[in-house]
Amino acid sequence: MTTLLDLKSSVLRQVQRSQSLRSRREPPPTASSPLTHSPDPLPRRISEESVSFFERTNAILQKQENMLRAAQAECQRGACTVPPPQEHVDQAFVPDRISRAELDLLYEEAVYTVVNRVGVPSPEQVKSDEELFAYLLKVFDMGEEEQDIILQKVQESKRASFSLRVSVMKAKNLMAKDANGYSDPYCMLGILVGQSPREPEEKKERKFSFRKRKEKLEKRSSTKEVLPARCIQVTEVKPETLNPVWDEHFVFEIDDVHNDLLHLDIWDHDDDVSVAEACKKLNEVSGLRGMGRYFKQIAKSVRSNGSSASSGSEENADDFLGCINIPLNEIPVAGYDTWFKLEPRSSASKVQGECHLILKLFTTQRDTALSKKDSNVSIHKKLLCQIVEFEHAHVKREPYNWNGQVSPPAWTVLTHHAVQTDLSPLQQAIIRWQCYSSHHRTQRVCYSLLLRLLRTIDAEWDPPTVRGDLERQLSDSFRLYTEHCLCLMKNMRQIFPCTSAAAITRYELMLRGIGYMQNMRAFKSVCPLRNELHLDITTAVKKGTAEWYESLIAQYKPEDGTLEDQLKRLVLVVDDVCADVQRAQNIYNQLFYSAVKVDFFSIAYRQLEKLVADDVNVAMERVCGTLEQESSRLTQIMGETIFELFMSLKILKGFREFLPLKDAKMLALTGFHNWFKSSIHKWLQIVHDRSCDRIRKAVETDKIEPVQQAKHSSSAVEVTTCFSQVREIWLQLAWPDSAGAFIFVTRLTDNFCSEAVCYSEMITRKIERNQQGRDHKSFTVQLCIALNNTEHVRVFLGHLPCDLDWPGVERAMEESCGVEGKDQVYKALNGQLFNMDLDLQREAKRLITLLTDKMLPELRRYIQHISLSPDSINNDDAVAPLMKYLQDTMVILTETLVKENLSRVLQSMWELLLRMILDTVTENRGVQVEFYNRFQYTVETLLQFFHAKGDGLSLEDMKSGDYKALDEELRLNKCSSFELIEQYYLEKISQQKTLKHTRYGRISVKCYYDAPEQRLTVEILHAADIIALDANGLSDPFVIVELCPHHLFPMAKSQRTQVKLKTLHPVFDELFYFHVSPEQYRHRFACLTFTVMDYDWLSTNDFAGEAVAPLSDFCWPGRPNASAAGKSVQPAILHLSRSKPSEKPIMRMLDARVGDREAQEFVRRLKEIEKSMEEE
């Protein structure tokens, strides 16, 4: 509270010093020397520097807007073909290069795969061995001689052994064979030995079935369809369904992968012991040969085990539901996963439905050196890595954005190898992930590729199938990739700048990938201890932010050079931090939060804000320490730099609104404005000095011509522009401390007011200097423009309470200091504005006086013309020259003056004309009535002219002051002498009613009227406090009572009381009688006058005072004094007065009527009284 009281005292002293600006002419000189120990101030800077000063200040104020605009442009930046910056490569992540020997073995594996290709290739796969060998030659960088050696070795090696994996998944829409409308289906499947190319034509007529009649089987002469019993597999029976689901898997060894075929029957199970059971038992017997013996054995088994089956009867035999024949050489390389339509066994068979099968050929034995010492997974990974490295090296356009797509030869080799080595989809996905993520650490690829690979692993994930080395390798790949991404995050500002759309896209995909990874089942399974990935990301962001700020400090070196240089460099640091925080809020934060649920903005902002606050605080302590020295002054450049630093910190602090509420409290920059308090005070003085320079220059260069459609000149525009910029400076400062804000607002208001008054004085002096040699019209126009300039500035400053938020300062001070603080703010600020308004009005009156003084000779000539015009000229002709002049002047004024100034000028002209007419009339008292009638007409004409049917001055404003005096003067001059005398007594009666306790004493009288007798009785009782007119300090008073005016009471004589010697409180108690008729007392001006005189033995009596009483108070019917009880009424107390009659206009008018006897007699009597007063 002590601080606030001191503050209020200092502000009050400042306000008291500036209660009036009338004494100001120029702003006080302000030292603008450098911030060094220099006792002598430098000369004031030229105005051009002031203009550039405001331009630089405006650029500082626009900084935040420009930053937002640049950030918005970065957000809206479209696709960019410029490659993003190179991503960091950590040598620890670079895998070892494969040796030449290993490459040869891997090449042999690839050639072996090509030589042993099986299956129908897809359209995108290469069918030519030569093309594949040529491709592999390039991939492995082999010479033709080496290739021939390895190819010959492969051709001489043992052919690969193949097997067929068959998955019987389900069937649908089967034929119903049972009475309940369903069937009990099961499948019987096996491999048929390849057919001869010279197969008889009857094969086309019939289909093979595992359940032929014995005789038909025995009649078959061909032995091509020999099928070993161990190759027959049977599924489970699915009871009562036409859409069975088996999901059973079988593996068959293949002797001739090019000619054998897969045969499948679907049967309806009809008895307790069927071919299915028999077939299962036969599978336990080996060495059977020939289809006939095979079937006999099945039939025999059925008959021996069936409880109700009779020899040769098939009533309880299983019903045939359909079959499928699939040649192995028609299976695609990648296998089948499709629905097959069921076929009949002959043209007479009737079947329906489909069966879903998954078929895949693979090798069970490979005669290569690498396959004998390494796992299939490891071999395929090496092969893929070699191909990926070759393919990526040959990508021409945007290699950093490579999506992993390889050429058809590469895809063909990889597909065949994966199929031949029986790699599951999950194994292939893991291998691809390991290969591409490892390759990415040295050669960038598209992050969408890595994300797609992760999703494939997650979709195929089956924990039991990933064990041992594969699990360990997958865990290592996840760890390495995570560490690589964290390293990139740490350096994200250099690697993924917002200026590169491609880099931001890559960063988003990387974050989505790392975010997806930490939620994968595979990641949680193989990396169970890395469940705090978001903490690792937070640590990387913090470390990267700190390193980036350190690099910023190293770049700008804010501790080098002079103090001014240090501040400038610190501004650059803060601006870069603001831009970084802006990007964090606009771009990076959204990427981080949507992908990994990390609040990047809060982490980076809190860290950078603390670092900046520490550095700026230290710098400002040095500045304040220097400024506190008496010989040290703040230079303009230093002031600009401090202001720019303040604004940059304010921008940085403003980003806290995007923090979560709990994180926005007690930040390092919370009270940063206190570091700048003394500097901002000095800075505002510099602003004031530059404003004065700018205003002075504006007045010097002003040609006093209206600008564009306005009615003011360029200097007024320049002044208000200057004020607007200063106001914007304050608004941008947004000082948060209420007490400090009060001081600053008070100072700014004082500066504005003094600058406005200074401007108005300078523009007035310029007009005064320019009036010599100018014609009346051009000078009038310039005067009007100058008036408009002053009004333009005055109106602008009228918005100061709103512009500087005075109500907000009042509320803040009320909260701090109570109602007293609020009242002090209100009085101080409004007092400054009020004084400024008075001074501007004073200057405006000076200009208006200049304007009217220019009109004065012409107006005097036209008034004289009216005065001297003979009675034979009518009033319109007499007034016409004056009205013509006024109309011409009005055209100029209306065109050049704003409405407010037009009203002021018209009011001044009206008052001037009234005074001139009044002077003319006063100088011509006692002339003919026609003279006054003409001027009465003139006044009425002028009244209508200036009123302009409501568009000009208001009648209420015009009919006051001088108008009333002139109107009264004209009215009285047109009256007769008797009428003027009557008016004189009316005024006396009116004045008597307003007297209260005068210093001339009072008289007590009682008056009552006897109506039947028409007699007025006047009883003079006593007087009190009569003024002392004798040397002894007393008086010898007596009272003269008479009826006035005399021309109304020609027969009445004045009467007097006895003289009371040596007293100031005489008691008379005397009665006097007057004859008064009703016709006489009915006049308002009829009255009794009581004149108190001091009796003098040796000279004329002295006038002590007088009082009047209208007869209407006593004689009018209904009055208590006019009844029989009039004697008992209370006495009237009349206060005495001693006004000089010559001061009254009526007295002067009567005195001017030299030839009027009544007027001269009346004036003579009053002059005698006035003479006695003067002798005293």
Side-chain angles (χ1 to χ4, degrees):
M1 181 59 72
T2 303
T3 304
L4 291 175
L5 291 176
D6 294 342
L7 165 68
K8 291 197 285 185
S9 300
S10 65
V11 172
L12 186 59
R13 287 194 299 272
Q14 179 179 353
V15 173
Q16 290 171 346
R17 287 197 305 269
S18 60
Q19 283 298 315
S20 177
L21 305 173
R22 289 186 176 87
S23 61
R24 298 185 182 180
R25 289 300 179 266
E26 296 293 338
T30 304
S32 56
S33 58
L35 189 58
T36 55
H37 302 285
S38 174
D40 299 326
L42 293 178
R44 181 180 299 277
R45 298 182 182 274
I46 60 174
S47 299
E48 286 74 9
E49 293 185 1
S50 298
V51 175
S52 61
F53 165 80
F54 281 98
E55 291 176 351
R56 290 192 298 271
T57 303
N58 188 58
I60 295 173
L61 297 178
Q62 297 295 323
K63 181 185 294 185
Q64 183 173 12
E65 182 179 347
N66 295 336
M67 184 183 300
L68 294 175
R69 191 159 45 240
Q72 185 177 8
E74 283 184 354
C75 294
Q76 296 176 350
R77 193 183 302 276
C80 182
T81 57
V82 178
Q86 183 65 41
E87 295 177 9
H88 174 71
V89 177
D90 193 337
Q91 294 300 322
F93 291 160
V94 178
D96 297 333
R97 300 287 298 178
I98 191 170
S99 66
R100 184 70 251 182
E102 290 177 321
L103 274 178
D104 292 344
L105 294 178
L106 193 59
Y107 179 70
E108 178 191 357
E109 182 72 23
V111 172
Y112 189 86
T113 300
V114 173
V115 170
N116 289 277
R117 286 184 299 152
V118 295
V120 179
S122 60
E124 61 270 15
Q125 291 180 342
V126 176
K127 303 177 180 60
S128 169
D129 289 353
E130 290 75 10
E131 186 176 347
L132 294 175
F133 289 145
Y135 173 74
L136 291 175
L137 194 68
K138 298 176 183 177
V139 172
F140 290 91
D141 192 21
M142 301 292 288
E144 293 185 4
E145 183 178 350
E146 296 171 325
Q147 180 193 20
D148 293 340
I149 295 173
I150 295 176
L151 180 58
Q152 182 178 357
K153 178 181 177 182
V154 170
Q155 290 173 344
E156 292 174 354
S157 63
K158 184 180 178 180
R159 302 284 291 183
S161 299
F162 283 89
S163 295
L164 176 66
R165 180 179 289 107
V166 181
S167 297
V168 182
M169 305 305 294
K170 51 190 171 183
K172 61 182 179 181
N173 302 327
L174 299 180
M175 185 76 73
K177 294 293 186 177
D178 296 340
N180 60 4
Y182 293 100
S183 295
D184 303 319
Y186 65 91
C187 296
M188 182 183 299
L189 62 160
I191 301 297
L192 293 182
V193 179
Q195 305 292 327
S196 171
R198 298 183 298 275
E199 183 181 3
E201 277 299 318
E202 69 253 17
K203 183 178 183 299
K204 298 179 181 179
E205 300 284 335
R206 54 184 171 79
K207 299 292 183 181
F208 174 79
S209 173
F210 291 121
R211 294 225 37 211
K212 290 286 188 180
R213 285 187 175 85
K214 176 183 177 182
E215 56 272 14
K216 289 186 177 181
L217 283 171
E218 291 175 347
K219 289 180 181 178
R220 288 180 59 86
S221 58
S222 174
T223 60
K224 296 292 186 180
E225 294 179 347
V226 176
L227 187 66
R230 61 184 174 83
C231 294
I232 303 300
Q233 302 288 346
V234 182
T235 67
E236 295 289 336
V237 176
K238 299 298 179 182
E240 297 183 358
T241 179
L242 301 180
N243 300 289
V245 177
W246 290 288
D247 196 13
E248 297 186 34
H249 311 280
F250 309 97
V251 176
F252 299 96
E253 294 181 1
I254 306 300
D255 292 332
D256 187 354
V257 73
H258 298 290
N259 296 314
D260 291 350
L261 60 83
L262 171 68
H263 179 83
L264 179 140
D265 282 349
I266 298 181
W267 298 85
D268 173 39
H269 180 70
D270 280 337
D271 51 12
D272 295 334
V273 182
S274 67
V275 175
E277 284 73 14
C279 202
K280 289 178 180 179
K281 291 182 178 181
L282 283 175
N283 280 334
E284 299 172 4
V285 180
S286 61
L288 298 179
R289 296 290 186 272
M291 187 59 67
R293 292 182 61 192
Y294 158 74
F295 184 81
K296 288 178 182 179
Q297 187 65 31
I298 292 176
K300 181 179 179 181
S301 176
V302 171
R303 287 193 297 273
S304 63
N305 293 309
S307 58
S308 59
S310 58
S311 178
S313 174
E314 293 187 0
E315 294 177 0
N316 295 320
D318 294 349
D319 295 321
F320 178 75
L321 295 178
C323 66
I324 300 173
N325 290 289
I326 304 174
L328 298 187
N329 58 7
E330 295 181 4
I331 297 176
V333 175
Y336 268 136
D337 184 359
T338 186
W339 289 87
F340 294 91
K341 187 176 181 181
L342 297 178
E343 303 174 357
R345 57 189 174 186
S346 68
S347 59
S349 300
K350 185 178 181 182
V351 298
Q352 69 177 37
E354 295 177 279
C355 184
H356 182 199
L357 300 178
I358 299 177
L359 309 177
K360 183 180 179 183
L361 286 167
F362 62 93
T363 59
T364 55
Q365 184 177 354
R366 299 171 64 82
D367 189 15
T368 62
L370 200 56
S371 63
K372 294 175 182 178
K373 70 174 186 176
D374 213 344
S375 65
N376 292 335
V377 171
S378 178
I379 296 171
H380 189 74
K381 177 182 176 182
K382 293 177 181 177
L383 180 61
L384 177 59
C385 288
Q386 187 66 25
I387 291 176
V388 164
E389 185 174 350
F390 174 79
E391 290 284 333
H392 197 185
H394 289 77
V395 174
K396 300 300 182 183
R397 182 179 179 183
E398 297 184 359
Y400 61 87
N401 210 26
W402 184 45
N403 63 359
Q405 185 176 359
V406 296
S407 62
W411 178 247
T412 302
V413 173
L414 291 172
T415 302
H416 278 283
H417 188 268
V419 169
Q420 292 178 19
T421 55
D422 195 24
L423 296 179
S424 67
L426 176 58
Q427 290 174 318
Q428 295 181 55
I430 292 174
I431 292 171
R432 285 197 295 271
W433 160 254
Q434 292 175 339
C435 174
Y436 279 102
S437 63
S438 176
H439 177 74
H440 169 70
R441 294 197 293 274
T442 57
Q443 297 292 326
R444 294 179 295 175
V445 299
C446 181
Y447 282 100
S448 61
L449 164 64
L450 301 175
L451 179 59
R452 187 169 66 250
L453 295 176
L454 289 173
R455 287 174 174 167
T456 304
I457 293 176
D458 207 32
E460 299 289 343
W461 183 247
D462 185 15
T465 62
V466 182
R467 290 289 182 264
D469 290 343
L470 186 61
E471 181 181 15
R472 178 183 53 78
Q473 292 171 6
L474 181 59
S475 175
D476 290 344
S477 69
F478 283 156
R479 176 182 57 81
L480 291 173
Y481 180 71
T482 300
E483 292 175 357
H484 178 69
C485 289
L486 291 175
C487 183
L488 296 182
M489 288 181 199
K490 187 166 66 72
N491 300 285
M492 51 168 280
R493 292 172 176 84
Q494 295 80 26
I495 299 173
F496 305 107
C498 292
T499 53
S500 172
I504 291 300
T505 302
R506 288 180 58 80
Y507 197 34
E508 179 182 10
L509 291 171
M510 188 198 83
L511 290 173
R512 287 172 58 189
I514 202 73
Y516 185 84
M517 178 192 292
Q518 67 177 342
N519 293 317
M520 286 173 57
R521 294 174 296 164
F523 183 82
K524 295 176 180 178
S525 177
V526 302
C527 301
L529 300 180
R530 299 208 60 163
N531 54 0
E532 299 294 339
L533 188 59
H534 66 283
L535 295 180
D536 296 336
I537 295 175
T538 300
T539 302
V541 169
K542 288 183 177 179
K543 187 176 181 182
T545 300
E547 291 179 358
W548 176 81
Y549 185 78
E550 290 174 2
S551 68
L552 209 60
I553 295 297
Q555 175 186 351
Y556 291 116
K557 298 181 175 60
E559 295 184 356
D560 295 349
T562 64
L563 186 56
E564 186 175 301
D565 293 335
Q566 293 176 12
L567 290 181
K568 288 182 178 180
R569 295 176 182 182
L570 202 54
V571 168
L572 298 176
V573 171
V574 179
D575 287 347
D576 279 7
V577 170
C578 288
D580 185 75
V581 171
Q582 181 75 61
R583 288 190 286 267
Q585 193 268 327
N586 284 349
I587 299 175
Y588 291 127
N589 194 60
Q590 183 178 0
L591 302 182
F592 269 84
Y593 196 78
S594 62
V596 292
K597 296 296 182 291
V598 171
D599 188 353
F600 175 84
F601 172 77
S602 296
I603 297 170
Y605 177 73
R606 292 179 67 86
Q607 191 170 8
L608 289 173
E609 189 250 10
K610 178 66 168 60
L611 293 170
V612 167
D614 291 344
D615 289 344
V616 174
N617 192 10
V618 172
M620 289 309 299
E621 286 180 354
R622 290 199 297 267
V623 172
C624 293
T626 306
L627 289 178
E628 287 175 359
Q629 302 178 26
E630 293 183 359
S631 58
S632 179
R633 296 180 178 88
L634 184 67
T635 64
Q636 177 176 314
I637 297 178
M638 175 67 86
E640 292 176 10
T641 307
I642 291 176
F643 174 65
E644 185 174 6
L645 180 59
F646 181 93
M647 293 306 301
S648 297
L649 288 176
K650 175 177 169 288
I651 294 172
L652 181 60
K653 180 184 176 183
F655 285 104
R656 66 172 54 195
E657 67 177 280
F658 301 107
L659 289 173
L661 186 60
K662 60 183 178 62
D663 292 340
K665 299 178 181 178
M666 297 307 295
L667 292 174
L669 287 176
T670 297
F672 83 92
H673 61 279
N674 292 317
W675 310 338
F676 293 82
K677 186 174 293 184
S678 60
S679 302
I680 293 298
H681 271 290
K682 298 178 184 296
W683 159 250
L684 290 180
Q685 182 60 44
I686 292 176
V687 173
H688 175 59
D689 294 341
R690 298 290 79 77
S691 298
C692 292
D693 289 344
R694 184 174 177 181
I695 292 171
R696 186 177 297 105
K697 180 65 175 179
V699 174
E700 291 174 359
T701 58
D702 193 356
K703 297 180 179 179
I704 320 295
E705 296 176 354
V707 291
Q708 297 180 354
Q709 302 299 320
K711 294 184 178 181
H712 49 263
S713 64
S714 60
S715 62
V717 176
E718 185 69 11
V719 170
T720 54
T721 301
C722 176
F723 288 171
S724 297
Q725 291 178 342
V726 176
R727 175 193 63 191
E728 188 63 24
I729 290 173
W730 169 248
L731 295 179
Q732 291 292 338
L733 280 174
W735 199 262
D737 174 34
S738 59
F742 178 30
I743 295 178
F744 287 136
V745 169
T746 304
R747 175 148 187 192
L748 283 173
T749 303
D750 185 59
N751 290 348
F752 281 138
C753 293
S754 64
E755 289 160 9
V757 173
C758 179
Y759 167 71
S760 64
E761 292 174 346
M762 285 191 292
I763 202 73
T764 302
R765 286 198 298 271
K766 183 168 185 174
I767 292 296
E768 290 173 342
R769 290 194 301 268
N770 292 347
Q771 65 178 322
Q772 300 298 330
R774 286 190 173 272
D775 61 279
H776 173 71
K777 182 177 180 180
S778 63
F779 181 69
T780 301
V781 170
Q782 284 205 342
L783 272 174
C784 292
I785 293 175
L787 266 175
N788 293 340
N789 289 347
T790 301
E791 178 64 16
H792 184 68
V793 173
R794 191 188 71 83
V795 171
F796 180 89
L797 292 183
H799 299 109
L800 275 185
C802 178
D803 293 342
L804 300 183
D805 191 22
W806 288 6
V809 177
E810 291 178 15
R811 288 192 298 270
M813 287 298 291
E814 184 178 16
E815 294 174 0
S816 301
C817 308
V819 178
E820 180 185 356
K822 177 183 178 181
D823 292 342
Q824 182 179 351
V825 173
Y826 180 84
K827 293 177 181 178
L829 297 180
N830 283 279
Q832 290 177 318
L833 203 60
F834 177 77
N835 290 329
M836 179 274 300
D837 195 70
L838 288 179
D839 289 342
L840 290 186
Q841 290 186 31
R842 169 177 55 83
E843 292 303 316
K845 287 179 180 178
R846 282 181 61 187
L847 291 171
I848 294 174
T849 301
L850 282 175
L851 181 61
T852 54
D853 286 349
K854 283 290 182 179
M855 301 179 185
L856 195 59
E858 292 294 320
L859 293 177
R860 185 178 290 113
R861 185 163 62 87
Y862 294 126
I863 295 298
Q864 187 178 12
H865 171 76
I866 297 172
S867 173
L868 299 177
S869 296
D871 297 340
S872 58
I873 299 178
N874 60 42
N875 292 335
D876 286 336
D877 294 337
V879 176
L882 173 63
M883 301 311 299
K884 176 65 168 58
Y885 173 79
L886 292 177
Q887 287 172 355
D888 294 341
T889 304
M890 182 64 71
V891 171
I892 300 174
L893 297 179
T894 305
E895 290 178 352
T896 54
L897 286 174
V898 296
K899 184 176 180 181
E900 294 77 7
N901 283 332
L902 179 62
S903 298
R904 294 190 184 104
V905 172
L906 293 182
Q907 184 68 33
S908 181
M909 291 173 61
W910 166 250
E911 292 172 357
L912 176 62
L913 285 167
L914 289 178
R915 288 194 299 272
M916 293 176 68
I917 294 175
L918 181 59
D919 292 343
T920 302
V921 172
T922 304
E923 292 171 358
N924 292 275
R925 287 193 177 120
V927 299
Q928 295 180 355
V929 176
E930 287 75 9
F931 176 87
Y932 305 110
N933 286 335
R934 175 161 291 173
F935 275 104
Q936 184 73 46
Y937 177 81
T938 302
V939 172
E940 293 301 323
T941 303
L942 291 173
L943 188 71
Q944 295 177 9
F945 174 80
F946 283 102
H947 181 57
K949 298 181 180 180
D951 295 331
L953 301 177
S954 68
L955 292 175
E956 182 180 358
D957 291 338
M958 287 192 291
K959 291 184 177 181
S960 60
D962 291 341
Y963 174 83
K964 290 182 178 180
L966 176 59
D967 185 66
E968 182 70 8
E969 181 78 16
L970 291 172
R971 185 182 66 81
L972 293 177
N973 274 296
K974 291 188 293 183
C975 293
S976 64
S977 296
F978 286 161
E979 290 173 337
L980 288 177
I981 294 172
E982 292 166 359
Q983 182 66 33
Y984 174 83
Y985 283 108
L986 279 176
E987 291 179 3
K988 293 282 289 183
I989 292 170
S990 176
Q991 181 183 3
Q992 183 69 50
K993 292 179 179 180
T994 61
L995 291 179
K996 300 290 184 182
H997 306 291
T998 67
R999 65 187 183 91
Y1000 304 111
R1002 56 194 176 277
I1003 184 171
S1004 178
V1005 300
K1006 184 185 294 185
C1007 301
Y1008 40 91
Y1009 181 67
D1010 185 355
E1013 297 292 331
Q1014 295 185 355
R1015 185 179 64 188
L1016 175 65
T1017 303
V1018 178
E1019 185 176 350
I1020 300 177
L1021 301 176
H1022 57 82
D1025 298 327
I1026 302 299
I1027 60 173
L1029 295 175
D1030 293 341
N1032 57 8
L1034 299 174
S1035 292
D1036 303 320
F1038 67 94
V1039 179
I1040 300 173
V1041 56
E1042 56 186 338
L1043 292 172
C1044 294
H1046 291 165
H1047 65 267
L1048 182 62
F1049 301 98
M1051 305 303 295
K1053 302 295 183 180
S1054 63
Q1055 304 181 55
R1056 65 172 61 187
T1057 65
Q1058 295 179 359
V1059 177
K1060 304 296 181 181
L1061 300 175
K1062 299 179 181 179
T1063 180
L1064 300 179
H1065 308 283
V1067 177
F1068 299 105
D1069 285 334
E1070 297 183 39
L1071 291 175
F1072 303 94
Y1073 301 98
F1074 295 93
H1075 179 271
V1076 179
S1077 66
E1079 291 76 12
Q1080 291 174 321
Y1081 71 67
R1082 285 194 178 96
H1083 292 286
R1084 291 186 303 113
F1085 49 83
C1087 62
L1088 279 169
T1089 62
F1090 300 92
T1091 305
V1092 180
M1093 302 293 290
D1094 173 46
Y1095 179 76
D1096 199 330
W1097 298 97
L1098 301 176
S1099 62
T1100 58
N1101 298 326
D1102 298 324
F1103 176 70
E1106 66 177 348
V1108 296
L1111 295 184
S1112 59
D1113 289 351
F1114 317 121
C1115 305
W1116 202 263
R1119 301 284 187 186
N1121 306 64
S1123 63
K1127 296 181 180 181
S1128 62
V1129 298
Q1130 291 295 324
I1133 305 298
L1134 301 177
H1135 294 276
L1136 302 177
S1137 65
R1138 297 185 76 211
S1139 59
K1140 291 184 178 181
S1142 61
E1143 294 177 352
K1144 295 182 178 295
I1146 293 177
M1147 180 68 174
R1148 292 193 293 270
M1149 293 178 190
L1150 291 171
D1151 190 25
R1153 299 182 180 185
V1154 180
D1156 191 324
R1157 187 175 61 83
E1158 290 81 2
Q1160 293 301 311
E1161 178 63 21
F1162 182 80
V1163 170
R1164 183 190 61 79
R1165 292 179 56 199
L1166 293 179
K1167 283 183 177 181
E1168 289 178 355
I1169 294 176
E1170 185 170 350
K1171 182 178 180 181
S1172 69
M1173 293 171 61
E1174 292 174 353
E1175 291 175 354
E1176 295 171 8

